[in-house]
Amino acid sequence: MTSVIKHAITPRPRDLGDFTVRRVLPSGNAPMVGPFIFFDHMGPAEFPEGKGIDVRPHPHINLATVTYLFEGSLMHRDSVGAVQNIEPGAVNWMTAGRGIVHSERSSDEFRSANSRIHGIQSWVALPAEEEECEPRFDHYPMEVLPTTEIDGIAIRIIAGHAFGMEAPVPFSHPIAYADCEARTEATLEVPSGFSERALYVAEGSVKIDSKVFETGQMILLEADADVTTTMSGDARVMFVAGEPYPEPRHIWWNFVSSRLDRLEQAKQDWREWNFERVPGETEFIPLPD
């Protein structure tokens, strides 16, 4: 019997100073899944009163960041002037285009008590013809995102289309991103119709082809296979899918592009501070050595 599983990715821990993340993408086995080129699982991390996250201003080009929280909050500020408190269940989509700078910090309210943060930050590489578009930030409250419940599994569409629903987030390339949370042990039929697709176990465990996958694992699936997964009663999985680009994508630090020379230009621009600044911010993360 042919397996529906291509392979599984076990993430690498990355210490960000204030907390540790699980870095899933890029991976040696899968540099990308569709247009998804970066996937970090944040937390769950606990902070005592008075403590929080302080990610100083840093740049991006030719990509969109997607921040989606399960718990906690983050205050987003960027060089286009957007100021947004990111809360659970909302989609925060920052299109870097030709270049954007942003910071992510815990609010005073978050620091006023013992707090937790838990969520996913991913990057989506932009189509080649849109890489140098104008930067922008779009916030979609939880209430505007399409949701449904299928056999005891609550599903919310974060981006693209899946499970017969489509998110309001505009993106011109085929993509799917969904949050699937089991209320009890349940069976999920994984959507097909994408050349590349994966499930990431954010909480609990899932079983596919009699194999059990635990929290922190991403399972890459065969494109044309019918896939059914059994989710534990406390399971939460992220469905990630899309079509690959015809051109390869290159990633260095916070920069993504289809052109290597564009990465070199971005490095020089950050060294020389040729990016617009985040209003009210004076700190910044220097270019790595």
Side-chain angles (χ1 to χ4, degrees), residues 76-179:
H76 166 98
R77 293 182 176 87
D78 65 38
S79 54
V80 300
V83 178
Q84 178 64 53
N85 191 37
I86 298 173
E87 296 180 332
V91 171
N92 299 271
W93 188 284
M94 186 183 74
T95 303
R98 60 177 174 78
I100 198 168
V101 179
H102 75 130
S103 66
E104 293 167 308
R105 301 182 186 272
S106 298
S107 65
D108 291 341
E109 182 180 0
F110 183 93
R111 299 173 197 264
S112 67
N114 294 341
S115 302
R116 280 166 52 100
I117 193 162
H118 188 198
I120 305 289
Q121 183 166 87
S122 55
W123 300 352
V124 178
L126 296 178
E129 64 276 12
E130 299 175 21
E131 285 184 323
E132 297 297 326
C133 68
E134 288 299 306
R136 57 182 288 179
F137 179 82
D138 296 288
H139 172 74
Y140 298 88
M142 178 176 61
E143 294 77 16
V144 307
L145 302 176
T147 60
T148 190
E149 185 165 320
I150 301 175
D151 298 331
I153 301 172
I155 299 171
R156 177 177 295 119
I157 308 301
I158 298 169
H161 66 277
F163 301 99
M165 300 177 290
E166 186 169 1
V169 179
F171 195 66
S172 62
H173 192 77
I175 190 175
Y177 191 18
D179 175 11

Side-chain angles (χ1 to χ4, degrees), residues 32 37 61-63 125 131 247-261 263:
M32 298 177 69
I37 194 168
I61 64 162
N62 293 186
L63 60 86
E131 285 184 323
E247 324 87 357
R249 288 300 184 275
H250 310 286
I251 182 171
W252 187 89
W253 192 41
N254 298 317
F255 305 137
V256 166
S257 184
S258 61
R259 296 172 291 139
L260 286 170
D261 64 323
L263 298 184

Side-chain angles (χ1 to χ4, degrees), residues 2-243:
T2 303
S3 175
V4 301
I5 301 168
K6 284 184 177 180
H7 48 257
I9 299 171
T10 298
R12 310 170 307 282
R14 287 290 182 269
D15 186 354
L16 300 187
D18 296 318
F19 63 110
T20 299
V21 300
R22 297 178 176 99
R23 176 122 332 138
V24 186
L25 296 176
S27 163
N29 288 332
M32 298 177 69
V33 176
F36 289 88
I37 194 168
F38 180 93
F39 196 97
D40 262 7
H41 183 180
M42 305 181 291
E46 299 189 1
F47 295 87
E49 181 179 349
K51 299 294 184 180
I53 293 171
D54 284 293
V55 179
R56 295 167 292 161
H58 58 281
H60 294 284
I61 64 162
N62 293 186
L63 60 86
T65 66
V66 188
T67 306
Y68 183 80
L69 297 181
F70 307 136
E71 290 182 82
S73 66
L74 272 175
M75 184 62 72
H76 166 98
R77 293 182 176 87
D78 65 38
S79 54
V80 300
V83 178
Q84 178 64 53
N85 191 37
I86 298 173
E87 296 180 332
V91 171
N92 299 271
W93 188 284
M94 186 183 74
T95 303
R98 60 177 174 78
I100 198 168
V101 179
H102 75 130
S103 66
E104 293 167 308
R105 301 182 186 272
S106 298
S107 65
D108 291 341
E109 182 180 0
F110 183 93
R111 299 173 197 264
S112 67
N114 294 341
S115 302
R116 280 166 52 100
I117 193 162
H118 188 198
I120 305 289
Q121 183 166 87
S122 55
W123 300 352
V124 178
L126 296 178
E129 64 276 12
E130 299 175 21
E131 285 184 323
E132 297 297 326
C133 68
E134 288 299 306
R136 57 182 288 179
F137 179 82
D138 296 288
H139 172 74
Y140 298 88
M142 178 176 61
E143 294 77 16
V144 307
L145 302 176
T147 60
T148 190
E149 185 165 320
I150 301 175
D151 298 331
I153 301 172
I155 299 171
R156 177 177 295 119
I157 308 301
I158 298 169
H161 66 277
F163 301 99
M165 300 177 290
E166 186 169 1
V169 179
F171 195 66
S172 62
H173 192 77
I175 190 175
Y177 191 18
D179 175 11
C180 308
E181 185 177 12
R183 309 296 194 195
T184 183
E185 184 175 309
T187 299
L188 178 71
E189 293 185 9
V190 181
S192 57
F194 295 96
S195 297
E196 297 179 354
R197 55 185 177 149
L199 293 176
Y200 177 72
V201 186
E203 295 179 288
S205 63
V206 301
K207 182 185 289 186
I208 306 173
D209 272 2
S210 301
K211 298 179 181 178
V212 176
F213 300 93
E214 304 289 346
T215 301
Q217 291 186 288
M218 177 175 276
I219 309 103
L220 276 70
L221 304 170
E222 294 291 350
D224 54 359
D226 293 330
V227 180
T228 300
T229 177
T230 301
M231 299 174 60
S232 63
D234 59 350
R236 185 172 210 152
V237 301
M238 312 302 287
F239 174 60
V240 179
E243 296 302 314

